[in-house]
Amino acid sequence: MKAVILVGGLGTRLRPLTCNTPKPMIPLLNQPFIEWMLQRLHDEGVSEVILAVQYLADRFRTTLGDGSQFNLKLHIVEEPEPRGTAGAVKNIEQLLDGPTFVLNGDVMTDLNLQEMLAFHHDKRSKVTIALTAVDDPTQFGLVEMNGDQRVQRFLEKPRMEEVTTNLINAGTYIIEPEVFRYVPPNQFYMFERGLFPVLLQTGDPMYGFPSRAYWTDIGKPQTYIDVHHDILIGKVRYGFRGTQIADRVWSEGEVTIHPSAQIVGPVVLGAGSMIGRGCRIIGPTVLGPRCQIGADCNLEGGILWEGSQLGEGVTLRHSVVGRNSSIGANSLIAEGAIIGDECILGPENRLERGIRLWPGTLLGERAISF
Ligand code: GTP
């Protein structure tokens, strides 16, 4: 069985983390997310994967090679320009030869693909769409079905009074290649606004596959932070590399922890990390490789990418710091702040409430403080 992973989006909602790193390559528990996807597809019986790439393609090639490290055959196909979700699969149509899994590259789910495939065959479906239930359907594209689970209608971000179901498109499909005859070649074309409405008109059978599997779109800052939490508290299975060194504290290699530091899990410490005197690190927190945490820092719900440094007395809560950034002493980084790669902040800055700094930003002492 083959799978196509759509990885060509710009990941605008997750900027600045996606300025230098394509969204599917951003680290989750210090491992590029796409690696976990490939491992999972292999475990689900997939033997060949096509990555439909558009943006920062070389990053995929260098990291993933030919897929042999995942026991998969991997094709990395670059689009000449963004083709949209359906257009991207049309672009690699010649590689398809039967029902194919098509997956958004930013969805964390433990959906059972083999059960979905059995359902697809049983219904003689041409397109099967995985569905997940959400609390607030007004923010999503809803999928309405009849009693036999055949798709009847799509509703994009309806008003509350128009809501007829809480089931949304979960970004995982099984598609028979023949339906790509409806997709115009060399054009931008989407599944939700293009191909699927056409299939409703032509009468090609399209079914919904609701599931209670874990599901989240990692492509928003808050969900990116939350998914770390969910993995660390065991809500979703995600193999990570650390060895346990204390109760719910894992290290990925040699780490230096000052004896007076207090660490309350779940916490993951990247190889080569250093934690200074008097620090308090409260989980869920993840330090990338070679992070340096100065004396008396307080971290809770923080995600630090490789090589970040915190000066003395920094407080960091529910926020992300990109690669090789340095935060000056006594700064506060809190409540969804996102610091891009290679930023240098002087002492006593205060960044809160979702503030974002683009890669390479330099801030002097107290440049942002209120
Ligand atoms: P935002 O800009 O934050 O909305 O993210 P995005 O660009 O990734 O868009 P979205 O989350 O809607 O895309 C869903 C999936 O389709 C993601 O895995 C994208 O990488 C992928 N995708 C979106 N547009 C394209 C495209 O034009 N080509 C390819 N190959 N993939 C795409």
Side-chain angles (χ1 to χ4, degrees):
M1 183 96 178
K2 292 182 182 172
V4 178
I5 312 182
L6 298 166
V7 292
L10 292 175
T12 49
R13 289 165 300 162
L14 207 50
R15 285 179 185 159
L17 297 175
T18 45
C19 289
N20 302 325
T21 309
K23 184 166 51 173
M25 295 283 287
I26 61 168
L28 210 55
L29 274 297
N30 293 336
Q31 182 190 3
F33 177 60
I34 188 79
E35 291 189 5
W36 175 81
M37 279 191 96
L38 293 174
Q39 192 61 57
R40 185 172 105 77
L41 287 172
H42 172 262
D43 295 346
E44 287 272 359
V46 169
S47 56
E48 206 166 324
V49 174
I50 302 137
L51 286 193
V53 182
Q54 208 281 311
Y55 167 62
L56 298 172
D58 285 343
R59 290 291 300 277
F60 289 100
R61 291 206 180 90
T62 334
T63 310
L64 306 175
D66 62 1
S68 47
Q69 54 177 311
F70 310 98
N71 299 311
L72 290 167
K73 185 167 178 194
L74 184 67
H75 308 261
I76 298 180
V77 182
E78 201 171 339
E79 282 156 47
E81 68 277 320
R83 290 277 166 85
T85 45
V89 186
K90 177 79 178 173
N91 189 49
I92 51 90
E93 192 183 7
Q94 70 285 358
L95 296 171
L96 308 182
D97 50 16
T100 303
F101 294 117
V102 177
L103 304 108
N104 283 2
D106 54 3
V107 168
M108 172 87 193
T109 178
D110 53 10
L111 176 71
N112 185 324
L113 293 177
Q114 288 304 324
E115 271 178 21
M116 184 172 168
L117 184 62
F119 172 88
H120 176 84
H121 287 312
D122 189 43
K123 296 289 186 191
R124 297 179 192 281
S125 179
K126 297 285 185 220
V127 171
T128 301
I129 306 172
L131 306 177
T132 192
V134 290
D135 293 335
D136 178 11
T138 59
Q139 300 305 311
F140 298 92
L142 310 192
V143 182
E144 270 179 29
M145 298 180 291
N146 69 10
D148 188 38
Q149 294 180 228
R150 190 160 171 164
V151 175
Q152 302 293 296
R153 191 160 80 114
F154 295 94
L155 264 168
E156 198 51 39
K157 295 191 179 162
R159 291 197 305 275
M160 208 40 171
E161 60 275 20
E162 295 170 324
V163 169
T164 49
T165 171
N166 64 348
L167 292 173
I168 65 160
N169 175 349
T172 300
Y173 317 98
I174 299 173
I175 304 187
E176 298 291 331
E178 63 184 77
V179 302
F180 287 99
R181 70 183 186 278
Y182 299 120
V183 177
N186 308 324
Q187 272 186 40
F188 187 92
Y189 205 72
M190 296 294 279
F191 283 132
E192 304 85 337
R193 291 188 292 280
L195 179 62
F196 296 164
V198 167
L199 294 177
L200 285 180
Q201 281 171 8
T202 57
D204 286 87
M206 188 165 34
Y207 283 84
F209 182 73
S211 122
R212 290 177 189 276
Y214 180 89
W215 181 88
T216 196
D217 164 4
I218 64 156
K220 294 180 260 185
Q222 192 55 49
T223 53
Y224 176 66
I225 296 173
D226 291 346
V227 78
H228 281 83
H229 185 199
D230 289 348
I231 294 167
L232 288 171
I233 63 169
K235 213 165 154 186
V236 56
R237 215 162 49 82
Y238 181 92
F240 58 96
R241 297 173 284 211
T243 44
Q244 194 156 358
I245 55 169
D247 179 30
R248 298 186 308 146
V249 179
W250 295 268
S251 99
E252 297 182 332
E254 286 289 307
V255 291
T256 310
I257 304 172
H258 193 279
S260 62
Q262 186 193 359
I263 304 183
V264 181
V267 169
V268 173
L269 305 172
S273 300
M274 291 172 65
I275 296 170
R277 169 179 45 79
C279 286
R280 272 184 88 232
I281 303 199
I282 313 289
T285 284
V286 178
L287 303 190
R290 296 179 301 287
C291 285
Q292 293 188 23
I293 312 299
D296 299 319
C297 286
N298 270 294
L299 276 69
E300 182 166 359
I303 298 164
L304 273 67
W305 289 11
E306 183 175 357
S308 338
Q309 298 181 20
L310 306 186
E312 287 193 12
V314 168
T315 298
L316 188 141
R317 289 193 306 261
H318 306 289
S319 297
V320 186
V321 179
R323 227 166 257 119
N324 298 325
S325 283
S326 163
I327 311 294
N330 302 316
S331 293
L332 170 74
I333 313 289
E335 320 318 339
I338 310 279
I339 314 295
D341 297 339
E342 295 179 6
C343 291
I344 301 180
L345 275 61
E348 299 189 26
N349 278 289
R350 205 178 159 97
L351 283 78
E352 296 182 85
R353 290 187 291 268
I355 197 167
R356 301 182 191 200
L357 292 189
W358 250 235
T361 301
L362 305 179
L363 290 184
E365 181 171 351
R366 285 196 213 176
I368 302 184
S369 64
F370 42 86

